[in-house]
């Protein structure tokens, strides 16, 4: 026992293996994912049908939901009802196997009976490395078509009204009041019924001097020409508006900006003209000045959005800088930033923060800009979060959509399970940041869509058979260490424990909660390719990464509590109870959680993900304020400084994310003045 304990200690502290191991390095997966091994035989949210003609906000539907809709059409009282439902399930299984084997196609091609019965069609896609771009492009096309319809409707309305003004002006012109013109307008069959010469004389006296001024006539002609000649929206909308690089998108936006600015001024002037409120004396000078001023976000909103789809692994330093520049300029651009791996491929020596530190850096900077909509989700959750995706794409300003595809080369899990495991383990949590919502509205920041969002780690029942062939059931927490154990390149950070090993190791979540861990440390449960259960010791490197994921998750929980209460998850696409994603991440909707109460007004806090690393708070007190792994500030200890320093830091913060709360020390000098200064930041 002492030799085994020494071996475990050597492994945990120094990564040394004092004993040889026959444990396989390949095919290892978390124990909770064991029952999801035959993924094609399960009913879950993939594959998804990208609807060709979406209606009722349904951009895409899981194959299982289409099957359920077909089953709902079967008369339950019919003698062959059960047989028909089984036939539907068999057909669904065949389509799922065809898609999993790489056979592309549409619903009409792979299941024509379902397409005819439901009146829908669309490409069927699976959860793989191509799914995020396909899903976002499909949703973007739908949103842009709706925007184009509204844009053209408004332009056509203004053009029609301007034509009516011009037609009325032409009717009052001398040429339109001649006897010949009046006779022509009435028609030859009524030529003898009227005295057109007398009518022309009467009209000439009645309308004398009332035609439009020449300046207004020229102005309306110019507005009509601009309204009818515009080509901002094309069919299909993706033409010239989808890019695979941020630099190209930024150049395209800058090239189109003068035309958009000119047309926006035309829309505004035409609106005044149609309402009869355009005053040349005042408005000519105003619009001349506005011709060189930047457009507001509301003025940019009606114009086409640009879509950029990039993989983080393909970006160099220049491309990363271009991404931030593109978001910062305020252009109506939507950026899909896809992650296929959450840690650098070269190993842990390059990891300066925690798991997904690169994703955190981009989303944190985007939220810190203040005007960027941010949506983060693994690809396994995109069917459930489609309403958030539509909100991001319809947002009038820039939006960053950060997605983990799960298509990691070193993962032993298929992409869907790998992405679901990242969500479950808090390695890649889902959240939305909507700057259009008021900060105190309860809707700006949400972590809805995460499993068991009130806990540090989701907990599930782990059922297995022990050495005596007895059924055992354990309450098991799925941590970031479990997620990392499924990646072959981290195999050296895990060591199998002897079957007879008892209490020398404790669970990872318990180890992270205890500051006085003695002995060998932490262990987790995995299975090999034969679903044989093993206990694996975890070294300190993995524990530190898991601890970083937990701390980041706690900060997100704090933002959800302080910024806004947890919103109820959006209505998810339905799936039968047996459709169990892994590791039980989405087997069923997350249990209802009572929305936590807003934080007390006297609690000081920092909106850490919005920190821009301006160093102002650090210059005031480096003990009270510290940086996390992403070099974003948080309050490390309120006891390390004074209320005055909190207030001064709030005043110095460039993005106003420090909220000093109320003083804790009633005896601190100058409190009355400090409380008044803190009021704008509470």
């Amino acid at each position: 026992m002492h030799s085994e304990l020494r071996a475990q200690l050597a492994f945990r502290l120094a990564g040394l293996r004092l004993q040889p191991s026959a444990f396989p390095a390949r095919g290892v997966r978390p124990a909770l994912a064991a029952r999801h091994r035959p993924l094609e035989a399960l009913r879950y949210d993939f594959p998804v049908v990208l609807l060709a003609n979406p209606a009722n906000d349904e951009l895409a539907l899981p194959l299982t939901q289409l099957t359920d809709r077909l089953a709902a059409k079967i008369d339950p009282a019919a003698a062959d009802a059960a047989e028909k439902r089984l036939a539907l399930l068999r057909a669904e299984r065949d389509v799922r196997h065809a898609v999993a084997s790489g056979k592309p196609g549409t619903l009409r091609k792979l299941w024509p009976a379902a397409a005819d019965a439901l009146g829908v069609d669309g490409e069927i896609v699976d959860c793989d490395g191509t799914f995020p771009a396909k899903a976002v492009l499909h949703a973007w096309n739908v949103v842009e078509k709706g925007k184009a319809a509204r844009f053209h409707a408004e332009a056509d309305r203004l053009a029609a009204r301007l034509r009516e003004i011009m037609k009325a002006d032409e009717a009052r012109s001398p040429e339109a009041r001649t006897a010949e013109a009046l006779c022509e307008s009435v028609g030859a069959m009524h030529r003898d019924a009227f005295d057109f010469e007398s009518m022309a004389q009467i009209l000439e006296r009645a309308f004398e001097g009332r035609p439009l001024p020449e300046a207004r006539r020229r102005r309306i002609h110019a507005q009509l020409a601009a309204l009818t000649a515009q080509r901002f929206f094309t069919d299909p909308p993706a033409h010239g508006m989808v890019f695979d690089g941020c630099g190209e998108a930024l150049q395209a936006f800058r090239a189109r900006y003068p035309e958009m600015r000119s047309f926006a001024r035309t829309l505004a002037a035409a609106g005044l003209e149609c309402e009869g409120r355009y005053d040349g004396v005042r408005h000519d000078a105003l619009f001349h000045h506005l011709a060189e001023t930047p457009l507001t976000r509301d003025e940019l909103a009606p114009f086409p959005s640009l879509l950029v789809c990039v993989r983080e692994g393909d970006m160099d330093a220049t491309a990363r800088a271009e991404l931030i520049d593109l978001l910062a300029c305020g252009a109506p651009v939507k950026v899909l930033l896809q992650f296929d791996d959450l840690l650098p491929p070269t190993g842990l020596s390059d990891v300066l923060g925690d798991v997904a530190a690169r994703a955190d850096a981009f989303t944190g900077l985007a939220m810190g800009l203040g005007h960027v909509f941010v949506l983060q989700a693994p690809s396994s959750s995109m069917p459930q979060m489609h309403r958030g995706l539509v909100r991001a794409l319809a947002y009038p300003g820039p939006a960053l959509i950060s997605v983990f595809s799960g298509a990691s080369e070193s993962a032993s899990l298929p992409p869907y399970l790998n992405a679901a495991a990242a969500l479950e383990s808090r390695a890649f949590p889902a959240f939305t940041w909507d700057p259009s919502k008021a900060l105190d509205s309860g809707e700006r920041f949400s972590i809805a869509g995460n499993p068991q969002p009130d806990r540090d780690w989701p907990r599930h029942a782990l059922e297995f058979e022990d050495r005596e062939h007895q059924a055992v059931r354990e309450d098991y927490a799925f941590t970031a260490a479990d997620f990392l154990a499924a990646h072959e390149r981290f195999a050296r950070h895990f060591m199998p424990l002897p079957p007879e090993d008892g209490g020398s190791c404790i669970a990872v979540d318990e180890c992270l909660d205890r500051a006085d861990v003695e002995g060998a440390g932490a262990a987790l449960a995995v299975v090999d390719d034969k679903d044989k259960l093993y206990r694996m010791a975890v070294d300190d490197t993995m524990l530190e990464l898991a601890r970083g994921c937990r701390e980041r998750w706690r900060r997100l929980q704090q933002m959800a509590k302080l910024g806004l209460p947890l919103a109820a998850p959006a209505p998810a696409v339905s799936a039968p109870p047996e459709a169990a994603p892994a590791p039980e991440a989405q087997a069923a909707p997350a249990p209802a959680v009572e929305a936590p109460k807003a934080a007390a007004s006297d609690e000081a806090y920092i909106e850490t993900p919005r920190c821009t690393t301006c160093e102002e708070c650090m210059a005031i007190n480096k003990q009270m304020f510290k940086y996390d792994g992403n070099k974003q500030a948080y309050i490390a200890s309120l006891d390390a400084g004074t209320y005055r320093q909190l207030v001064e830091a709030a005043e110095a913060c460039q993005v106003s994310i420090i909220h000093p709360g109320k003083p804790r020390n009633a005896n601190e000098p100058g409190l009355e003045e400090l409380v008044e200064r803190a009021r704008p930041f509470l």
Side-chain angles (χ1 to χ4, degrees), residues 230-250:
Q230 65 84 20
R231 294 292 182 269
F232 286 105
F233 286 93
T234 59
D235 191 16
H239 178 70
M241 303 299 289
V242 180
F243 304 87
D244 56 8
C246 295
E248 295 86 345
L250 186 57

Side-chain angles (χ1 to χ4, degrees), residues 643-644 647 663 666-677:
Y643 187 66
R644 178 176 295 277
V647 175
N667 297 321
E668 183 173 334
L671 279 186
E672 184 175 351
E673 174 204 355
L674 294 173
V675 169
E676 188 62 29
R677 289 167 56 185

Side-chain angles (χ1 to χ4, degrees), residues 250-267:
L250 186 57
Q251 290 178 4
F253 171 73
R254 288 171 174 166
R256 293 169 179 157
Y257 188 78
E259 186 180 0
M260 288 191 294
R261 181 167 54 189
S262 175
F263 192 77
R265 306 315 182 206
T266 297
L267 287 176

